[in-house]
Amino acid sequence: MTARIGLLGGTFDPLHVAHLVVADQVLDQLGLDEVRLVVNHRPWQKEGDREITSSARRLEMVAAALAPIEGLAASDVEICLGGLSYTVETLAALEKDEPDTEWLVIVGADAAAGLDTWHQADRLRLEREFVVVNRPGEPDVDPPGWRTRRVEIPSLDVSSTEIRALVAAGRSVRHLVPESVIHRMDEWGLYRRSS
Ligand code: ATP
Ligand code: MG
């Protein structure tokens, strides 16, 4: 039987509660076999804006948080590929390894609005189906020309940007970020103003 697996790509710098809710809601509502959180190696659209935590550390945080959660898993496929991370290449690598799987690409509404800017967008538009979830502050419009399916989730107005700002301000992020992630952030001194 063909497995159906959702892919939620992200920088996860750091992973937060909304990432988990997105993955779980899509898993449940679409009856998928699994959702994989694909940790970007080098998110080319974000580079240059700020210092991004190493992909090895971001992967470790995601893997630690997901270890006890059934149905969700961390993927290192883009880290293994190396270089800049492009969804087109990620999907090709996954299909080579697991040819009998149907892959669905999950994006928040902000990412959906930018699909036309993705690497080899024409190919993705023709070949792929996307799952779009609502995100606070982002309009619910389906990107024209793309095959999309909408999944409504309980809205959570959380972002990694906000988490980093809270940590830099010395404020608590408990329950916004899994405990296992907080442990590693503390251990590594991530997002503190001095780091
Ligand atoms: P940053 O602020 O650093 O961009 P982020 O919170 O947007 O971080 P990403 O790693 O950029 O997290 O996002 C990974 C995926 O998760 C994207 O598809 C994004 O749209 C989605 N996502 C992140 N936060 C939410 C949220 N609160 N609601 C819905 N989708 C979200
Ligand atoms: Mg983002």
Side-chain angles (χ1 to χ4, degrees), residues 87-88 91 105 115 118-130 146-147:
T87 300
V88 156
L91 286 161
V105 183
L115 282 176
W118 286 23
H119 185 64
Q120 294 193 23
D122 291 343
R123 210 175 124 195
L124 282 173
R125 200 184 288 110
L126 275 177
E127 294 176 4
R128 298 296 167 184
E129 181 174 359
F130 289 77
W146 295 79
R147 262 191 300 147

PDB file of all heavy atoms in Angstrom, residues 87-88 91 105 115 118-130 146-147:
ATOM      1  N   THR A  87      13.233  22.639  -2.203  1.00  0.00           N
ATOM      2  CA  THR A  87      12.212  21.596  -2.061  1.00  0.00           C
ATOM      3  C   THR A  87      12.197  20.639  -3.259  1.00  0.00           C
ATOM      4  O   THR A  87      11.983  19.437  -3.097  1.00  0.00           O
ATOM      5  CB  THR A  87      10.841  22.258  -1.847  1.00  0.00           C
ATOM      6  OG1 THR A  87      10.928  23.052  -0.657  1.00  0.00           O
ATOM      7  CG2 THR A  87       9.738  21.231  -1.684  1.00  0.00           C
ATOM      8  N   VAL A  88      12.437  21.183  -4.459  1.00  0.00           N
ATOM      9  CA  VAL A  88      12.475  20.337  -5.661  1.00  0.00           C
ATOM     10  C   VAL A  88      13.485  19.195  -5.479  1.00  0.00           C
ATOM     11  O   VAL A  88      13.205  18.030  -5.789  1.00  0.00           O
ATOM     12  CB  VAL A  88      12.855  21.199  -6.887  1.00  0.00           C
ATOM     13  CG1 VAL A  88      13.469  20.387  -7.978  1.00  0.00           C
ATOM     14  CG2 VAL A  88      11.641  21.935  -7.412  1.00  0.00           C
ATOM     15  N   LEU A  91      12.480  16.644  -2.622  1.00  0.00           N
ATOM     16  CA  LEU A  91      11.473  15.675  -3.068  1.00  0.00           C
ATOM     17  C   LEU A  91      12.092  14.620  -3.978  1.00  0.00           C
ATOM     18  O   LEU A  91      11.767  13.432  -3.873  1.00  0.00           O
ATOM     19  CB  LEU A  91      10.338  16.410  -3.788  1.00  0.00           C
ATOM     20  CG  LEU A  91       9.389  17.188  -2.847  1.00  0.00           C
ATOM     21  CD1 LEU A  91       8.615  18.244  -3.626  1.00  0.00           C
ATOM     22  CD2 LEU A  91       8.425  16.231  -2.142  1.00  0.00           C
ATOM     23  N   VAL A 105       3.375  18.434   0.425  1.00  0.00           N
ATOM     24  CA  VAL A 105       4.191  19.509   1.002  1.00  0.00           C
ATOM     25  C   VAL A 105       3.279  20.453   1.794  1.00  0.00           C
ATOM     26  O   VAL A 105       2.323  21.004   1.243  1.00  0.00           O
ATOM     27  CB  VAL A 105       4.943  20.281  -0.093  1.00  0.00           C
ATOM     28  CG1 VAL A 105       5.844  21.340   0.528  1.00  0.00           C
ATOM     29  CG2 VAL A 105       5.756  19.329  -0.956  1.00  0.00           C
ATOM     30  N   LEU A 115       5.135  30.981  -2.801  1.00  0.00           N
ATOM     31  CA  LEU A 115       5.513  29.793  -3.593  1.00  0.00           C
ATOM     32  C   LEU A 115       6.114  30.143  -4.959  1.00  0.00           C
ATOM     33  O   LEU A 115       7.011  29.456  -5.436  1.00  0.00           O
ATOM     34  CB  LEU A 115       4.295  28.877  -3.785  1.00  0.00           C
ATOM     35  CG  LEU A 115       3.908  27.987  -2.593  1.00  0.00           C
ATOM     36  CD1 LEU A 115       2.625  27.209  -2.911  1.00  0.00           C
ATOM     37  CD2 LEU A 115       5.036  27.021  -2.248  1.00  0.00           C
ATOM     38  N   TRP A 118       9.860  30.232  -5.151  1.00  0.00           N
ATOM     39  CA  TRP A 118      10.674  29.053  -4.835  1.00  0.00           C
ATOM     40  C   TRP A 118      11.488  28.617  -6.052  1.00  0.00           C
ATOM     41  O   TRP A 118      11.109  28.857  -7.198  1.00  0.00           O
ATOM     42  CB  TRP A 118       9.775  27.893  -4.345  1.00  0.00           C
ATOM     43  CG  TRP A 118       9.262  28.089  -2.941  1.00  0.00           C
ATOM     44  CD1 TRP A 118       9.125  29.277  -2.268  1.00  0.00           C
ATOM     45  CD2 TRP A 118       8.804  27.061  -2.043  1.00  0.00           C
ATOM     46  NE1 TRP A 118       8.622  29.047  -1.005  1.00  0.00           N
ATOM     47  CE2 TRP A 118       8.413  27.720  -0.845  1.00  0.00           C
ATOM     48  CE3 TRP A 118       8.681  25.675  -2.134  1.00  0.00           C
ATOM     49  CZ2 TRP A 118       7.902  27.003   0.259  1.00  0.00           C
ATOM     50  CZ3 TRP A 118       8.169  24.973  -1.046  1.00  0.00           C
ATOM     51  CH2 TRP A 118       7.803  25.626   0.138  1.00  0.00           C
ATOM     52  N   HIS A 119      12.589  27.948  -5.766  1.00  0.00           N
ATOM     53  CA  HIS A 119      13.466  27.420  -6.807  1.00  0.00           C
ATOM     54  C   HIS A 119      12.685  26.442  -7.697  1.00  0.00           C
ATOM     55  O   HIS A 119      11.999  25.551  -7.176  1.00  0.00           O
ATOM     56  CB  HIS A 119      14.630  26.703  -6.112  1.00  0.00           C
ATOM     57  CG  HIS A 119      15.683  26.191  -7.023  1.00  0.00           C
ATOM     58  ND1 HIS A 119      16.470  27.013  -7.797  1.00  0.00           N
ATOM     59  CD2 HIS A 119      16.092  24.927  -7.278  1.00  0.00           C
ATOM     60  CE1 HIS A 119      17.316  26.281  -8.492  1.00  0.00           C
ATOM     61  NE2 HIS A 119      17.105  25.012  -8.196  1.00  0.00           N
ATOM     62  N   GLN A 120      12.787  26.612  -9.009  1.00  0.00           N
ATOM     63  CA  GLN A 120      12.051  25.786  -9.978  1.00  0.00           C
ATOM     64  C   GLN A 120      10.550  25.738  -9.699  1.00  0.00           C
ATOM     65  O   GLN A 120       9.919  24.675  -9.714  1.00  0.00           O
ATOM     66  CB  GLN A 120      12.644  24.373 -10.029  1.00  0.00           C
ATOM     67  CG  GLN A 120      14.055  24.373 -10.593  1.00  0.00           C
ATOM     68  CD  GLN A 120      14.560  22.971 -10.943  1.00  0.00           C
ATOM     69  OE1 GLN A 120      13.778  22.047 -11.170  1.00  0.00           O
ATOM     70  NE2 GLN A 120      15.862  22.824 -10.999  1.00  0.00           N
ATOM     71  N   ALA A 121       9.997  26.931  -9.458  1.00  0.00           N
ATOM     72  CA  ALA A 121       8.572  27.038  -9.121  1.00  0.00           C
ATOM     73  C   ALA A 121       7.681  26.432 -10.213  1.00  0.00           C
ATOM     74  O   ALA A 121       6.667  25.799  -9.908  1.00  0.00           O
ATOM     75  CB  ALA A 121       8.204  28.499  -8.892  1.00  0.00           C
ATOM     76  N   ASP A 122       8.077  26.578 -11.473  1.00  0.00           N
ATOM     77  CA  ASP A 122       7.237  26.059 -12.563  1.00  0.00           C
ATOM     78  C   ASP A 122       7.068  24.555 -12.467  1.00  0.00           C
ATOM     79  O   ASP A 122       5.987  24.017 -12.706  1.00  0.00           O
ATOM     80  CB  ASP A 122       7.844  26.418 -13.931  1.00  0.00           C
ATOM     81  CG  ASP A 122       7.760  27.911 -14.209  1.00  0.00           C
ATOM     82  OD1 ASP A 122       6.963  28.580 -13.510  1.00  0.00           O
ATOM     83  OD2 ASP A 122       8.495  28.393 -15.089  1.00  0.00           O
ATOM     84  N   ARG A 123       8.167  23.906 -12.113  1.00  0.00           N
ATOM     85  CA  ARG A 123       8.120  22.448 -11.997  1.00  0.00           C
ATOM     86  C   ARG A 123       7.278  22.025 -10.794  1.00  0.00           C
ATOM     87  O   ARG A 123       6.442  21.126 -10.888  1.00  0.00           O
ATOM     88  CB  ARG A 123       9.551  21.926 -11.858  1.00  0.00           C
ATOM     89  CG  ARG A 123       9.705  20.546 -12.421  1.00  0.00           C
ATOM     90  CD  ARG A 123      11.137  20.112 -12.372  1.00  0.00           C
ATOM     91  NE  ARG A 123      11.217  18.868 -11.638  1.00  0.00           N
ATOM     92  CZ  ARG A 123      12.342  18.371 -11.167  1.00  0.00           C
ATOM     93  NH1 ARG A 123      13.493  19.028 -11.323  1.00  0.00           N
ATOM     94  NH2 ARG A 123      12.338  17.229 -10.536  1.00  0.00           N
ATOM     95  N   LEU A 124       7.496  22.698  -9.677  1.00  0.00           N
ATOM     96  CA  LEU A 124       6.719  22.383  -8.474  1.00  0.00           C
ATOM     97  C   LEU A 124       5.224  22.590  -8.723  1.00  0.00           C
ATOM     98  O   LEU A 124       4.388  21.788  -8.317  1.00  0.00           O
ATOM     99  CB  LEU A 124       7.149  23.300  -7.321  1.00  0.00           C
ATOM    100  CG  LEU A 124       8.447  22.961  -6.598  1.00  0.00           C
ATOM    101  CD1 LEU A 124       8.790  24.069  -5.608  1.00  0.00           C
ATOM    102  CD2 LEU A 124       8.326  21.618  -5.863  1.00  0.00           C
ATOM    103  N   ARG A 125       4.900  23.683  -9.425  1.00  0.00           N
ATOM    104  CA  ARG A 125       3.505  24.030  -9.680  1.00  0.00           C
ATOM    105  C   ARG A 125       2.817  22.938 -10.498  1.00  0.00           C
ATOM    106  O   ARG A 125       1.670  22.585 -10.250  1.00  0.00           O
ATOM    107  CB  ARG A 125       3.454  25.367 -10.435  1.00  0.00           C
ATOM    108  CG  ARG A 125       2.136  26.086 -10.350  1.00  0.00           C
ATOM    109  CD  ARG A 125       2.124  27.347 -11.196  1.00  0.00           C
ATOM    110  NE  ARG A 125       2.913  28.432 -10.671  1.00  0.00           N
ATOM    111  CZ  ARG A 125       4.069  28.879 -11.208  1.00  0.00           C
ATOM    112  NH1 ARG A 125       4.562  28.305 -12.294  1.00  0.00           N
ATOM    113  NH2 ARG A 125       4.722  29.874 -10.683  1.00  0.00           N
ATOM    114  N   LEU A 126       3.551  22.385 -11.446  1.00  0.00           N
ATOM    115  CA  LEU A 126       2.990  21.344 -12.305  1.00  0.00           C
ATOM    116  C   LEU A 126       2.862  20.003 -11.591  1.00  0.00           C
ATOM    117  O   LEU A 126       1.896  19.270 -11.765  1.00  0.00           O
ATOM    118  CB  LEU A 126       3.908  21.127 -13.520  1.00  0.00           C
ATOM    119  CG  LEU A 126       3.725  22.043 -14.713  1.00  0.00           C
ATOM    120  CD1 LEU A 126       4.785  21.703 -15.756  1.00  0.00           C
ATOM    121  CD2 LEU A 126       2.334  21.884 -15.305  1.00  0.00           C
ATOM    122  N   GLU A 127       3.892  19.691 -10.799  1.00  0.00           N
ATOM    123  CA  GLU A 127       4.019  18.310 -10.328  1.00  0.00           C
ATOM    124  C   GLU A 127       3.488  18.051  -8.930  1.00  0.00           C
ATOM    125  O   GLU A 127       3.281  16.908  -8.560  1.00  0.00           O
ATOM    126  CB  GLU A 127       5.520  17.914 -10.354  1.00  0.00           C
ATOM    127  CG  GLU A 127       6.093  17.849 -11.740  1.00  0.00           C
ATOM    128  CD  GLU A 127       7.595  17.554 -11.744  1.00  0.00           C
ATOM    129  OE1 GLU A 127       8.181  17.327 -10.668  1.00  0.00           O
ATOM    130  OE2 GLU A 127       8.167  17.549 -12.848  1.00  0.00           O
ATOM    131  N   ARG A 128       3.309  19.099  -8.129  1.00  0.00           N
ATOM    132  CA  ARG A 128       3.103  18.870  -6.694  1.00  0.00           C
ATOM    133  C   ARG A 128       1.782  19.368  -6.150  1.00  0.00           C
ATOM    134  O   ARG A 128       1.223  20.338  -6.645  1.00  0.00           O
ATOM    135  CB  ARG A 128       4.222  19.558  -5.905  1.00  0.00           C
ATOM    136  CG  ARG A 128       5.579  19.006  -6.219  1.00  0.00           C
ATOM    137  CD  ARG A 128       5.684  17.565  -5.805  1.00  0.00           C
ATOM    138  NE  ARG A 128       6.870  16.943  -6.372  1.00  0.00           N
ATOM    139  CZ  ARG A 128       7.166  15.658  -6.221  1.00  0.00           C
ATOM    140  NH1 ARG A 128       6.373  14.858  -5.541  1.00  0.00           N
ATOM    141  NH2 ARG A 128       8.252  15.160  -6.769  1.00  0.00           N
ATOM    142  N   GLU A 129       1.362  18.715  -5.064  1.00  0.00           N
ATOM    143  CA  GLU A 129       0.188  19.174  -4.341  1.00  0.00           C
ATOM    144  C   GLU A 129       0.643  19.733  -2.993  1.00  0.00           C
ATOM    145  O   GLU A 129       1.477  19.132  -2.317  1.00  0.00           O
ATOM    146  CB  GLU A 129      -0.774  18.013  -4.134  1.00  0.00           C
ATOM    147  CG  GLU A 129      -2.016  18.458  -3.420  1.00  0.00           C
ATOM    148  CD  GLU A 129      -3.078  17.378  -3.324  1.00  0.00           C
ATOM    149  OE1 GLU A 129      -2.872  16.264  -3.837  1.00  0.00           O
ATOM    150  OE2 GLU A 129      -4.102  17.675  -2.701  1.00  0.00           O
ATOM    151  N   PHE A 130       0.105  20.872  -2.630  1.00  0.00           N
ATOM    152  CA  PHE A 130       0.487  21.537  -1.384  1.00  0.00           C
ATOM    153  C   PHE A 130      -0.678  21.566  -0.405  1.00  0.00           C
ATOM    154  O   PHE A 130      -1.829  21.683  -0.810  1.00  0.00           O
ATOM    155  CB  PHE A 130       0.952  22.970  -1.666  1.00  0.00           C
ATOM    156  CG  PHE A 130       2.289  23.028  -2.359  1.00  0.00           C
ATOM    157  CD1 PHE A 130       2.392  22.751  -3.719  1.00  0.00           C
ATOM    158  CD2 PHE A 130       3.439  23.310  -1.656  1.00  0.00           C
ATOM    159  CE1 PHE A 130       3.627  22.779  -4.355  1.00  0.00           C
ATOM    160  CE2 PHE A 130       4.678  23.332  -2.284  1.00  0.00           C
ATOM    161  CZ  PHE A 130       4.766  23.069  -3.638  1.00  0.00           C
ATOM    162  N   TRP A 146      -1.580  27.066  -8.348  1.00  0.00           N
ATOM    163  CA  TRP A 146      -1.015  25.950  -7.591  1.00  0.00           C
ATOM    164  C   TRP A 146      -2.130  25.010  -7.143  1.00  0.00           C
ATOM    165  O   TRP A 146      -3.226  25.454  -6.839  1.00  0.00           O
ATOM    166  CB  TRP A 146      -0.254  26.469  -6.363  1.00  0.00           C
ATOM    167  CG  TRP A 146       0.954  27.276  -6.710  1.00  0.00           C
ATOM    168  CD1 TRP A 146       0.973  28.588  -7.105  1.00  0.00           C
ATOM    169  CD2 TRP A 146       2.319  26.825  -6.704  1.00  0.00           C
ATOM    170  NE1 TRP A 146       2.272  28.978  -7.350  1.00  0.00           N
ATOM    171  CE2 TRP A 146       3.117  27.928  -7.110  1.00  0.00           C
ATOM    172  CE3 TRP A 146       2.942  25.612  -6.405  1.00  0.00           C
ATOM    173  CZ2 TRP A 146       4.513  27.838  -7.216  1.00  0.00           C
ATOM    174  CZ3 TRP A 146       4.318  25.533  -6.506  1.00  0.00           C
ATOM    175  CH2 TRP A 146       5.097  26.633  -6.916  1.00  0.00           C
ATOM    176  N   ARG A 147      -1.798  23.720  -7.121  1.00  0.00           N
ATOM    177  CA  ARG A 147      -2.752  22.740  -6.595  1.00  0.00           C
ATOM    178  C   ARG A 147      -2.638  22.730  -5.083  1.00  0.00           C
ATOM    179  O   ARG A 147      -1.627  22.271  -4.535  1.00  0.00           O
ATOM    180  CB  ARG A 147      -2.427  21.348  -7.127  1.00  0.00           C
ATOM    181  CG  ARG A 147      -3.284  20.955  -8.315  1.00  0.00           C
ATOM    182  CD  ARG A 147      -3.113  19.494  -8.624  1.00  0.00           C
ATOM    183  NE  ARG A 147      -1.725  19.193  -8.943  1.00  0.00           N
ATOM    184  CZ  ARG A 147      -1.119  18.046  -8.654  1.00  0.00           C
ATOM    185  NH1 ARG A 147      -1.780  17.090  -8.017  1.00  0.00           N
ATOM    186  NH2 ARG A 147       0.145  17.839  -8.983  1.00  0.00           N
TER     187      ARG A 147
END
